Amino acid sequence: MANGKRQKPPGVGCSALCVGVLVAVVVIIVLLCISLIVVYENEGQVVAKVDLYDVELPAEQTVWFEANLAELRNAFRVVDENKKRAKNVVLFIALDSAAASPGDPRPVWESFPHLALLRPTTSDGAGASVSFNPTAMFCGIEPRHRHTVGFDSAVSPSDDCNEPPNSTHRAASILQWAQAVGRLTGVVTNGELVQPTPAALYAHTPNSSWLYVGPDEQQCPDVRTQLLYGETGRALNVIAGTLPCPEEFCREAFESAWEGERLDADTSYKLATELKELLDPALDEREYALGLFERQTLAQPNAFHDLTVGALHVLDRPEGFVLVAIADPSVPIGAAEVDAAVKATLRKLSTVLDDSLIVVVRSDAREGDAAFATVHATGPMSHLLHRVHDQTFLAHFISYAARIGRFRDADLTNFILQMV
């Protein structure tokens, strides 16, 4: 206490130093953690590098390690979600068809960033087979019976037309939704245009066997009549496939009536009599196109490709479009042929891919009728495909992505979007 000064207790200076060192160590650790986070996560993209041990392997093993190393690199590339409105939609349907051949290269759709499974559902009561239903996929509602087309579950199959189905139970399809907002529409198939799968896009019938003849043309028109004169059918910009009518000159009569409709409306059109005509670039100047071909013509290699390319020539316009391309299960076709059509689509739309949703729905015929279907997608809103979905989800997914149907934009918004 000499000179009135208090002496420091022994060890106090050391404790302060220790506290300072401890704080510094904590700060350094925090900074290291932050730096590690920055290194490992840069705006959602993993950029960390992992050492790869150099191991001598036989060539037969090296090829697989190198291929899968490339797959891992791709997996680390986080794809930004495209949340734009899908101005264009191309939907490929290849159910129970398009089997891959040994040695075929991987199809382009396997490189699409988003993938999901579609689950089929059982109809017609207990014990019925499980399969995909076109009304469910294209209209987004599950019908009760597989023998009805374009109707909801309130409508049962009918062998006569004594009680015509109530029109309120008609199910609107993705093509009808698209037409309602001014989009161009088309359906192409290497099979029969009036079979249930394409028919669900434009027709409504309580009996799927009424392809060319119905019991009452006014109350219950057949599918062919609805393709020609129905609200959705007559508005289709592109129709291509086969129409093997039972009566003579049926195809010629259909072509003549369709051409008359186009002339009455004073619209430009192309009536293709040979498949190669669909590859004519002059189709870009046509508003409508019809191609009815023989079965053997559509069974030829590249036929599915030509149908798709021809449709895109007509549909690729500023107002946008929805195209459905169907690979008929009854027509022998390899996965490579569907792959060629998808690749041609990507090339044709290369300048507008950011606004174009490309979807491929496929199942393998070898797996039986209860198999799930894979859905591969790229483009606007494709990230919404992310797990196992009911088959009805397909229509609602496309509706949301393209802003059609119940998700349609206001009329003024649609008008402005078509101008930009």
Side-chain angles (χ1 to χ4, degrees):
M1 297 295 295
N3 301 322
K5 294 182 179 179
R6 179 180 296 178
Q7 294 182 353
K8 295 181 180 180
V12 171
C14 178
S15 297
L17 178 62
C18 291
V19 170
V21 171
L22 181 60
V23 170
V25 170
V26 171
V27 170
I28 292 172
I29 291 174
V30 170
L31 291 175
L32 284 173
C33 291
I34 293 174
S35 65
L36 286 174
I37 292 174
V38 172
V39 169
Y40 276 82
E41 295 184 7
N42 182 13
E43 296 182 356
Q45 295 190 4
V46 178
V47 295
K49 293 183 179 180
V50 178
D51 290 334
L52 183 66
Y53 284 97
D54 188 12
V55 179
E56 289 288 337
L57 293 173
E60 293 80 1
Q61 296 183 35
T62 300
V63 63
W64 293 106
F65 274 85
E66 290 180 350
N68 285 286
L69 184 59
E71 284 287 299
L72 284 171
R73 291 194 182 101
N74 286 330
F76 277 109
R77 295 172 185 165
V78 179
V79 178
D80 292 333
E81 294 178 352
N82 182 344
K83 296 182 179 180
K84 298 178 67 175
R85 163 183 173 269
K87 192 173 187 178
N88 309 311
V89 177
V90 183
L91 172 60
F92 291 94
I93 302 292
L95 295 173
D96 297 334
S97 64
S101 301
D104 279 352
R106 289 178 60 181
V108 67
W109 59 75
E110 290 191 2
S111 66
F112 286 0
H114 299 288
L115 167 69
L117 294 177
L118 279 191
R119 179 181 58 242
T121 52
T122 304
S123 59
D124 291 350
S129 62
V130 179
S131 60
F132 290 96
N133 186 286
T135 299
M137 291 192 298
F138 299 148
C139 304
I141 59 99
E142 191 70 55
R144 182 182 301 172
H145 304 278
R146 59 189 175 91
H147 294 297
T148 64
V149 175
F151 281 111
D152 62 28
S153 58
V155 176
S156 299
S158 173
D159 292 326
D160 52 44
C161 197
N162 294 333
E163 296 182 9
N166 191 318
S167 61
T168 59
H169 293 292
R170 290 182 176 180
S173 74
I174 55 175
L175 295 190
Q176 185 175 343
W177 293 336
Q179 291 172 358
V181 296
R183 308 282 183 89
L184 305 184
T185 55
V187 55
V188 300
T189 177
N190 59 348
E192 197 170 353
L193 281 161
V194 294
Q195 286 297 323
T197 299
L201 291 163
Y202 61 83
H204 311 274
T205 178
N207 191 321
S208 59
S209 67
W210 295 346
L211 305 182
Y212 299 101
V213 179
D216 187 318
E217 287 301 312
Q218 297 299 321
Q219 299 295 329
C220 300
D222 58 71
V223 176
R224 172 186 53 178
T225 299
Q226 294 185 61
L227 177 59
L228 184 59
Y229 297 116
E231 178 185 357
T232 305
R234 69 188 302 174
L236 290 170
N237 297 87
V238 178
I239 302 171
T242 186
L243 200 66
C245 310
E247 65 265 27
E248 192 176 7
F249 305 119
C250 165
R251 190 176 76 183
E252 291 80 2
F254 188 98
E255 291 172 337
S256 178
W258 180 87
E259 190 172 24
E261 289 282 317
R262 305 283 78 79
L263 290 172
D264 289 344
D266 193 25
T267 53
S268 59
Y269 66 91
K270 174 64 177 180
L271 180 57
T273 57
E274 296 184 22
L275 194 57
K276 64 181 181 181
E277 295 179 57
L278 295 179
L279 301 180
D280 185 356
L283 275 180
D284 291 352
E285 303 172 2
R286 302 290 191 270
E287 298 172 75
Y288 295 87
L290 172 67
L292 302 180
F293 308 103
E294 299 291 342
R295 288 181 183 270
Q296 56 267 32
T297 299
L298 296 183
Q300 295 175 358
N302 298 322
F304 192 71
H305 165 276
D306 295 350
L307 291 170
T308 304
V309 171
L312 291 173
H313 278 317
V314 177
L315 298 175
D316 187 14
R317 296 175 185 269
E319 51 263 56
F321 66 87
V322 176
L323 169 65
V324 181
I326 302 168
D328 192 305
S330 66
V331 179
I333 181 174
E337 295 179 57
V338 179
D339 185 41
V342 178
K343 287 178 178 176
T345 299
L346 295 171
R347 289 193 297 270
K348 177 68 175 175
L349 302 178
S350 59
T351 60
V352 290
L353 276 181
D354 202 39
D355 299 304
S356 302
L357 174 64
I358 315 297
V359 182
V360 180
V361 180
R362 184 176 179 273
S363 67
D364 194 327
R366 295 169 298 178
E367 296 178 7
D369 63 356
F372 288 86
T374 57
V375 189
H376 304 259
T378 183
M381 295 296 171
S382 58
H383 59 277
L384 297 180
L385 294 169
H386 64 288
R387 60 183 182 87
V388 177
H389 302 285
D390 185 82
Q391 61 179 335
T392 56
F393 180 74
L394 182 64
H396 298 283
F397 157 65
I398 291 175
S399 171
Y400 184 84
R403 299 296 189 272
I404 58 178
R406 296 186 66 183
F407 299 106
R408 63 183 291 177
D409 292 313
D411 291 339
L412 178 59
T413 304
N414 267 309
F415 176 77
I416 295 173
L417 288 171
Q418 290 179 11
M419 295 298 103
V420 298

